Short mmCIF file of all heavy atoms in Angstrom, two decimals:
data_model
loop_
_atom_site.label_atom_id
_atom_site.label_comp_id
_atom_site.label_asym_id
_atom_site.label_seq_id
_atom_site.Cartn_x
_atom_site.Cartn_y
_atom_site.Cartn_z
N VAL A 1 0.85 -1.20 0.01
CA VAL A 1 -0.01 0.00 -0.02
C VAL A 1 0.83 1.27 0.04
O VAL A 1 0.68 2.25 -0.79
CB VAL A 1 -0.98 0.04 1.19
CG1 VAL A 1 -1.66 1.36 1.34
CG2 VAL A 1 -2.00 -1.08 1.09
N ILE A 2 1.88 1.26 0.95
CA ILE A 2 2.84 2.41 0.87
C ILE A 2 3.52 2.65 -0.41
O ILE A 2 3.55 3.75 -0.92
CB ILE A 2 3.81 2.22 2.03
CG1 ILE A 2 3.08 2.33 3.42
CG2 ILE A 2 4.94 3.26 1.89
CD1 ILE A 2 4.02 1.84 4.56
N ALA A 3 4.05 1.60 -0.99
CA ALA A 3 4.64 1.67 -2.26
C ALA A 3 3.81 2.14 -3.41
O ALA A 3 4.18 3.09 -4.21
CB ALA A 3 5.36 0.41 -2.62
N VAL A 4 2.61 1.63 -3.50
CA VAL A 4 1.58 2.09 -4.56
C VAL A 4 1.28 3.46 -4.36
O VAL A 4 1.27 4.33 -5.33
CB VAL A 4 0.44 1.16 -4.47
CG1 VAL A 4 -0.70 1.76 -5.49
CG2 VAL A 4 0.76 -0.20 -4.97
N VAL A 5 0.93 3.90 -3.19
CA VAL A 5 0.50 5.29 -2.89
C VAL A 5 1.53 6.31 -3.13
O VAL A 5 1.36 7.37 -3.83
CB VAL A 5 -0.17 5.39 -1.52
CG1 VAL A 5 -0.46 6.91 -1.15
CG2 VAL A 5 -1.45 4.64 -1.41
N VAL A 6 2.78 6.07 -2.57
CA VAL A 6 3.90 7.00 -2.70
C VAL A 6 4.29 7.18 -4.14
O VAL A 6 4.50 8.33 -4.69
CB VAL A 6 5.06 6.54 -1.89
CG1 VAL A 6 6.28 7.33 -2.19
CG2 VAL A 6 4.74 6.66 -0.37
N THR A 7 4.41 6.06 -4.93
CA THR A 7 4.88 6.19 -6.26
C THR A 7 3.80 6.86 -7.14
O THR A 7 4.13 7.55 -8.15
CB THR A 7 5.23 4.77 -6.91
OG1 THR A 7 4.10 3.85 -6.66
CG2 THR A 7 6.41 4.20 -6.31
N ALA A 8 2.45 6.62 -6.91
CA ALA A 8 1.37 7.34 -7.56
C ALA A 8 1.57 8.82 -7.40
O ALA A 8 1.37 9.62 -8.22
CB ALA A 8 0.12 6.82 -7.14
N GLY A 9 1.77 9.20 -6.06
CA GLY A 9 1.95 10.63 -5.73
C GLY A 9 3.13 11.25 -6.48
O GLY A 9 2.97 12.35 -6.91
N LEU A 10 4.26 10.59 -6.50
CA LEU A 10 5.43 11.13 -7.19
C LEU A 10 5.24 11.18 -8.61
O LEU A 10 5.70 12.10 -9.33
CB LEU A 10 6.60 10.19 -6.82
CG LEU A 10 7.16 10.35 -5.34
CD1 LEU A 10 8.27 9.33 -5.15
CD2 LEU A 10 7.66 11.73 -5.07
N PHE A 11 4.44 10.22 -9.19
CA PHE A 11 4.11 10.24 -10.63
C PHE A 11 3.34 11.46 -10.97
O PHE A 11 3.64 12.19 -11.95
CB PHE A 11 3.33 9.00 -10.93
CG PHE A 11 2.80 8.84 -12.26
CD1 PHE A 11 3.65 8.68 -13.33
CD2 PHE A 11 1.43 8.80 -12.54
CE1 PHE A 11 3.10 8.52 -14.67
CE2 PHE A 11 0.91 8.73 -13.80
CZ PHE A 11 1.72 8.55 -14.81
N VAL A 12 2.33 11.83 -10.17
CA VAL A 12 1.57 12.99 -10.41
C VAL A 12 2.40 14.36 -10.17
O VAL A 12 2.33 15.23 -11.04
CB VAL A 12 0.32 13.03 -9.45
CG1 VAL A 12 -0.49 14.35 -9.71
CG2 VAL A 12 -0.59 11.87 -9.78
N LEU A 13 3.20 14.29 -9.17
CA LEU A 13 4.00 15.47 -8.85
C LEU A 13 5.00 15.68 -10.00
O LEU A 13 5.24 16.87 -10.36
CB LEU A 13 4.81 15.24 -7.53
CG LEU A 13 5.72 16.44 -7.14
CD1 LEU A 13 4.97 17.72 -6.82
CD2 LEU A 13 6.49 15.93 -5.88
N ALA A 14 5.60 14.70 -10.54
CA ALA A 14 6.57 14.88 -11.66
C ALA A 14 5.88 15.45 -12.85
O ALA A 14 6.40 16.38 -13.54
CB ALA A 14 7.20 13.46 -12.08
N HIS A 15 4.62 15.00 -13.19
CA HIS A 15 3.92 15.61 -14.30
C HIS A 15 3.52 17.03 -14.03
O HIS A 15 3.65 17.89 -14.89
CB HIS A 15 2.62 14.87 -14.56
CG HIS A 15 2.81 13.50 -15.36
ND1 HIS A 15 3.31 12.38 -14.77
CD2 HIS A 15 2.66 13.27 -16.71
CE1 HIS A 15 3.40 11.46 -15.75
NE2 HIS A 15 3.02 11.98 -16.85
N GLN A 16 3.23 17.34 -12.81
CA GLN A 16 2.87 18.71 -12.49
C GLN A 16 4.09 19.60 -12.59
O GLN A 16 3.94 20.85 -13.01
CB GLN A 16 2.32 18.81 -11.04
CG GLN A 16 1.90 20.18 -10.49
CD GLN A 16 0.64 20.68 -11.23
OE1 GLN A 16 -0.18 19.90 -11.72
NE2 GLN A 16 0.56 21.97 -11.36
N LEU A 17 5.23 19.12 -12.20
CA LEU A 17 6.41 19.99 -12.25
C LEU A 17 6.96 20.20 -13.74
O LEU A 17 7.46 21.28 -14.02
CB LEU A 17 7.56 19.37 -11.39
CG LEU A 17 7.29 19.39 -9.88
CD1 LEU A 17 8.43 18.64 -9.12
CD2 LEU A 17 7.10 20.82 -9.41
N VAL A 18 6.78 19.24 -14.52
CA VAL A 18 7.21 19.31 -15.88
C VAL A 18 6.30 20.16 -16.75
O VAL A 18 6.82 21.10 -17.46
CB VAL A 18 7.27 17.86 -16.57
CG1 VAL A 18 7.45 17.97 -18.03
CG2 VAL A 18 8.32 17.06 -15.92
N SER A 19 5.03 19.99 -16.55
CA SER A 19 3.93 20.84 -17.23
C SER A 19 2.71 20.86 -16.39
O SER A 19 1.99 19.81 -16.31
CB SER A 19 3.71 20.30 -18.63
OG SER A 19 2.70 20.99 -19.30
N PRO A 20 2.52 21.96 -15.80
CA PRO A 20 1.31 22.10 -14.86
C PRO A 20 0.08 21.59 -15.55
O PRO A 20 -0.30 21.91 -16.62
CB PRO A 20 1.20 23.61 -14.58
CG PRO A 20 2.71 24.09 -14.69
CD PRO A 20 3.24 23.25 -15.84
N VAL A 21 -0.67 20.79 -14.77
CA VAL A 21 -1.96 20.17 -15.32
C VAL A 21 -3.16 20.61 -14.52
O VAL A 21 -3.01 21.16 -13.33
CB VAL A 21 -1.84 18.67 -15.26
CG1 VAL A 21 -0.70 18.15 -16.14
CG2 VAL A 21 -1.52 18.18 -13.83
N THR A 22 -4.32 20.55 -15.09
CA THR A 22 -5.57 20.87 -14.41
C THR A 22 -5.85 19.87 -13.36
O THR A 22 -5.33 18.73 -13.26
CB THR A 22 -6.68 21.01 -15.36
OG1 THR A 22 -6.82 19.74 -16.06
CG2 THR A 22 -6.41 22.08 -16.40
N ILE A 23 -6.86 20.15 -12.46
CA ILE A 23 -7.16 19.30 -11.29
C ILE A 23 -7.69 17.95 -11.95
O ILE A 23 -7.37 16.90 -11.43
CB ILE A 23 -8.23 19.98 -10.50
CG1 ILE A 23 -7.68 21.13 -9.74
CG2 ILE A 23 -8.86 18.92 -9.48
CD1 ILE A 23 -8.59 21.95 -8.82
N ASP A 24 -8.52 18.00 -12.95
CA ASP A 24 -9.12 16.78 -13.50
C ASP A 24 -8.01 15.84 -14.04
O ASP A 24 -8.02 14.61 -13.96
CB ASP A 24 -10.17 17.02 -14.60
CG ASP A 24 -9.65 17.72 -15.81
OD1 ASP A 24 -9.33 18.98 -15.67
OD2 ASP A 24 -9.47 17.09 -16.86
N VAL A 25 -7.04 16.52 -14.67
CA VAL A 25 -5.90 15.66 -15.24
C VAL A 25 -5.01 15.07 -14.07
O VAL A 25 -4.73 13.93 -14.08
CB VAL A 25 -5.05 16.53 -16.13
CG1 VAL A 25 -3.77 15.74 -16.62
CG2 VAL A 25 -5.83 16.96 -17.47
N ALA A 26 -4.89 15.94 -13.08
CA ALA A 26 -4.00 15.39 -11.87
C ALA A 26 -4.78 14.18 -11.19
O ALA A 26 -4.12 13.27 -10.84
CB ALA A 26 -3.83 16.47 -10.88
N LEU A 27 -6.09 14.34 -11.09
CA LEU A 27 -6.82 13.29 -10.51
C LEU A 27 -6.76 12.00 -11.34
O LEU A 27 -6.70 10.85 -10.88
CB LEU A 27 -8.31 13.63 -10.30
CG LEU A 27 -8.56 14.72 -9.17
CD1 LEU A 27 -10.00 15.21 -9.17
CD2 LEU A 27 -8.18 14.15 -7.85
N SER A 28 -6.92 12.15 -12.69
CA SER A 28 -6.91 10.95 -13.56
C SER A 28 -5.48 10.38 -13.55
O SER A 28 -5.34 9.13 -13.62
CB SER A 28 -7.29 11.39 -15.02
OG SER A 28 -6.41 12.21 -15.53
N LEU A 29 -4.44 11.07 -13.49
CA LEU A 29 -3.16 10.64 -13.35
C LEU A 29 -2.97 9.88 -12.02
O LEU A 29 -2.26 8.80 -11.98
CB LEU A 29 -2.03 11.73 -13.47
CG LEU A 29 -1.83 12.41 -14.86
CD1 LEU A 29 -0.94 13.53 -14.83
CD2 LEU A 29 -1.37 11.28 -15.85
N SER A 30 -3.60 10.37 -10.92
CA SER A 30 -3.54 9.60 -9.67
C SER A 30 -4.22 8.32 -9.76
O SER A 30 -3.65 7.31 -9.34
CB SER A 30 -4.29 10.45 -8.58
OG SER A 30 -3.71 11.73 -8.42
N VAL A 31 -5.31 8.24 -10.49
CA VAL A 31 -6.05 6.95 -10.71
C VAL A 31 -5.19 6.05 -11.57
O VAL A 31 -5.06 4.90 -11.18
CB VAL A 31 -7.40 7.21 -11.46
CG1 VAL A 31 -8.05 5.79 -11.72
CG2 VAL A 31 -8.36 8.03 -10.52
N LEU A 32 -4.54 6.58 -12.55
CA LEU A 32 -3.74 5.74 -13.42
C LEU A 32 -2.56 5.17 -12.55
O LEU A 32 -2.20 4.05 -12.72
CB LEU A 32 -3.17 6.62 -14.60
CG LEU A 32 -2.18 5.94 -15.60
CD1 LEU A 32 -2.88 4.73 -16.29
CD2 LEU A 32 -1.66 6.88 -16.57
#
């Protein structure tokens, strides 16, 4: 659980830092 949640969070954060995304995109990337 820790590994899945942390890596999903870092995955979204990396996308946000590279190219800021909207809330709906951030949420969908979290689901992905």
Side-chain angles (χ1 to χ4, degrees):
V1 170
I2 291 171
V4 169
V5 172
V6 170
T7 53
L10 291 174
F11 175 67
V12 176
L13 179 62
H15 280 79
Q16 181 69 28
L17 293 175
V18 170
S19 179
V21 296
T22 58
I23 294 178
D24 62 285
V25 174
L27 290 174
S28 64
L29 288 175
S30 300
V31 174
L32 178 64

